[in-house]
Amino acid sequence: MTLDGLDEQGDKSVIATTPAELDGALNRLRLLSRGRPVLAEASVENPMAVLSIGVHGDRGVLYYSGADHVEGAFSTGDSGSDVPEILYYYMGSDTSFPPNSEIPIEAVRQAAHEFMTTGQRPTGVQWQPRPAQTGPVESEWPL
């Protein structure tokens, strides 16, 4: 499994092939967060699948997209917020998540391990579909 976004510049990938290597990468992401919400992207090939892994203290978020779930899905937590979205920082930009997508960090870690093993959407997490687009798509913006 390849992980991107584990350094400040976002220019280094980490390969995790064992549970210990994955734990080391997740610990590195947690240190990188320093109390702010940060995101890394884990990917596998054959078939291609991506699991975005967010960390923010004792909570985190997940986003999955792969051949077995092409439209993508966000993790679903038990707490909501009055804000319309939660922002996690990934390689120089903010990434939006639904306000009820944060889950305990232990669930994030378990999901990452399951993803490394199966290459599919983790089953130990509740999932919600990607929200419908409410505004114009970037490609439709006037120039």
Side-chain angles (χ1 to χ4, degrees):
M1 175 167 72
T2 303
L3 293 112
D4 293 310
L6 294 176
D7 64 316
E8 294 283 345
Q9 295 77 31
D11 59 357
K12 295 180 184 160
S13 295
V14 172
I15 305 296
T17 58
T18 67
E21 290 172 344
L22 177 56
D23 282 333
L26 295 173
N27 291 340
R28 185 173 172 184
L29 181 62
R30 197 159 188 188
L31 287 173
L32 181 63
S33 80
R34 294 188 298 268
R36 62 189 171 131
V38 295
L39 198 61
E41 196 167 89
S43 61
V44 296
E45 295 182 15
N46 300 327
M48 181 65 178
V50 176
L51 182 69
S52 296
I53 303 167
V55 173
H56 185 208
D58 63 348
R59 310 283 293 165
V61 294
L62 298 168
Y63 176 77
Y64 174 83
S65 179
D68 59 330
H69 204 81
V70 177
E71 64 275 8
F74 291 97
S75 53
T76 301
D78 55 4
S79 63
S81 173
D82 294 336
V83 297
E85 63 186 1
I86 301 170
L87 298 177
Y88 273 71
Y89 185 76
Y90 177 69
M91 296 175 64
S93 64
D94 290 329
T95 303
S96 177
F97 284 81
N100 65 334
S101 60
E102 288 189 310
I103 59 176
I105 197 68
E106 296 81 21
V108 171
R109 187 176 289 273
Q110 289 172 353
H113 278 274
E114 183 179 346
F115 178 71
M116 184 175 82
T117 302
T118 67
Q120 296 180 344
R121 187 174 77 168
T123 59
V125 174
Q126 296 287 325
W127 296 96
Q128 59 184 307
R130 177 188 274 295
Q133 182 73 30
T134 57
V137 184
E138 185 176 346
S139 62
E140 297 172 354
W141 292 354
L143 298 176

